[in-house]
Amino acid sequence: MTSGDRVARTFDPRTNSLNLFRLVLAAMVLFAHAFYIAGRGIGPHIQGENLGGWAVAGFFVLSGFLITRSRFRHRLGDYLVLRMARILPAFWVCLLMTVVVFAPLALVLQSRSLDGYLTTGPTPFSFLWSNWTLLMNQYDIGTTLAAVPYPGAWNGSLWSLYYEFACYLVVAAAGCFAVVRRSVTPLLVMWAVSVAVRATDGHWASYQLDERAVLLAKLLPYFLGGAVAHFVVDRYGLPHLLGAPALVLGVTALATIPHVGGQLAAPALAVGLIWLSTVLPQPRTIARHDISYGFYIYAWPMQQLLVVAGLHDQGFVLYLLVSALVTAAMATASWLLLERPVMRMAQTRVTASRSVTPV
């Protein structure tokens, strides 16, 4: 088997455990958020970041690795079609489910009535209108979450999708230049600059940049670190002598270096996690069905709804287990009924255009 063949097998979900890894990261987000949503404090933290924050960082590292490969394999238009198909339809349906199902049900559970639901501000219409572009500007709907431990937020996980798509656009633009495809140096420089911006973000306050700039500075280095790792793996494969030490180095840097440890560790973490995914097996069902995205976007509203129903008062462990089960059910429905069909349609469109040379 050639080096190219081995690398190609690395990206085949039948021969790696990336679907499982992403599902575990999504479950970490659910676990971390459960403490806040159920009123049980802030939960475990590492370097001042809760486990959900580190899970999001893990998503960005893996996305940087995989999305860069997608960009290098597709022309710009096809790449954008695939990326929009993967992230937008499920996001929009999640918003719609929130205003049509979750929020009304919560109001009925609380007040036994839907009186005023459509007109009490902030209204469900403004929720849809304010958030449809991926940038979350409104989290609450009327008084539907007024009496819970974490009030006024129907989905505190969706904020990261705006920044993920912004990272998609950064890689989309970079991939237009031939030098980026030929050499790791441009991506390495971009990653190093992004880490430097993150390391000095305290000095940027005088420029009065808003929270979006701060969050992008925090997350972009993870994504670009994954992009750098893609180039390395694409050129040199994934020998054990590279993957295992990279994982150890990445975890050590993350745990010991304050403020920028995770960002500095991103390339090593990407290489290490991709290597680990080729070593650890995953169930065949998970290999065929990637429910991690649905799990991520539906966990928070399902957890809030269960709190409205009072399940959190029956024990935290029970609350966690039921939250995970109902979220997995929603995620499975999202994958089977929406995400997979949309991705197949997008892939069919891209396959039909492959005779055009990538740019």
Side-chain angles (χ1 to χ4, degrees):
M1 181 183 294
T2 67
S3 175
D5 291 335
R6 287 193 297 270
V7 173
R9 283 176 57 82
T10 299
F11 297 98
D12 187 338
R14 293 170 297 180
T15 57
N16 66 43
S17 297
L18 288 180
N19 283 359
L20 177 62
F21 281 20
R22 286 192 292 260
L23 185 57
V24 169
L25 291 174
M28 285 176 57
V29 173
L30 180 149
F31 175 76
H33 288 166
F35 289 90
Y36 298 89
I37 295 173
R40 295 298 186 102
I42 61 174
H45 278 60
I46 300 174
Q47 291 285 12
E49 185 76 73
N50 66 40
L51 295 183
W54 287 117
V56 169
F59 276 123
F60 272 72
V61 166
L62 293 178
S63 288
F65 192 101
L66 297 171
I67 299 306
T68 301
R69 180 176 187 261
S70 175
R71 177 64 183 101
F72 285 5
R73 294 176 65 237
H74 297 99
R75 62 174 183 159
L76 179 59
D78 291 341
Y79 164 84
L80 292 176
V81 166
L82 290 172
R83 301 281 55 82
M84 289 188 290
R86 187 67 187 101
I87 200 169
L88 287 174
F91 170 80
W92 288 331
V93 170
C94 183
L95 293 181
L96 190 62
M97 287 289 293
T98 302
V99 302
V100 173
V101 179
F102 303 144
L105 183 55
L107 189 59
V108 169
L109 288 173
Q110 291 176 147
S111 62
R112 309 301 177 188
S113 171
L114 284 174
D115 290 346
Y117 174 66
L118 296 179
T119 56
T120 301
T123 71
F125 301 104
S126 65
F127 180 86
L128 294 174
W129 179 252
S130 298
N131 299 329
W132 74 273
T133 61
L134 286 179
L135 180 61
M136 294 296 294
N137 294 301
Q138 178 182 324
Y139 287 91
D140 53 344
I141 299 174
T143 59
T144 56
L145 289 177
V148 296
Y150 200 100
W154 265 110
N155 204 323
S157 298
L158 297 183
W159 68 269
S160 68
L161 301 181
Y162 173 83
Y163 301 96
E164 180 160 354
F165 200 82
C167 292
Y168 292 173
L169 296 180
V170 170
V171 170
C176 292
F177 298 94
V179 64
V180 176
R181 298 171 179 272
R182 291 196 301 262
S183 170
V184 70
T185 301
L187 289 174
L188 191 61
V189 169
M190 291 171 63
W191 168 73
V193 170
S194 70
V195 173
V197 170
R198 166 62 176 172
T200 59
D201 59 1
H203 300 286
W204 297 89
S206 59
Y207 294 96
Q208 300 181 3
L209 300 176
D210 63 16
E211 185 185 20
R212 288 175 294 177
V214 176
L215 289 172
L216 184 60
K218 178 181 179 180
L219 295 172
L220 183 59
Y222 291 115
F223 197 91
L224 291 177
V228 170
H230 166 269
F231 202 100
V232 173
V233 172
D234 191 53
R235 291 295 186 272
Y236 306 109
L238 266 177
H240 295 306
L241 290 178
L242 174 65
L247 185 60
V248 173
L249 177 64
V251 171
T252 301
L254 180 153
T256 59
I257 301 176
H259 194 57
V260 294
Q263 288 83 358
L264 284 171
L269 284 173
V271 171
L273 288 173
I274 295 296
W275 165 79
L276 190 62
S277 77
T278 66
V279 175
L280 297 179
Q282 70 179 351
R284 291 184 180 180
T285 299
I286 294 179
R288 294 195 303 268
H289 303 289
D290 181 10
I291 67 168
S292 59
Y293 181 45
F295 199 99
Y296 180 78
I297 64 177
Y298 281 107
W300 185 295
M302 298 308 297
Q303 288 175 284
Q304 284 283 41
L305 196 56
L306 290 174
V307 166
V308 172
L311 184 65
H312 64 305
D313 292 328
Q314 307 305 312
F316 191 58
V317 173
L318 177 63
Y319 171 71
L320 282 172
L321 290 175
V322 176
S323 296
L325 288 174
V326 296
T327 300
M330 285 297 303
T332 301
S334 177
W335 168 256
L336 294 176
L337 301 178
L338 178 65
E339 296 169 49
R340 186 173 64 175
V342 169
M343 284 299 297
R344 284 177 172 174
M345 286 189 291
Q347 189 60 57
T348 298
R349 185 269 187 202
V350 168
T351 301
S353 66
R354 278 182 179 172
S355 59
V356 181
T357 303
V359 296

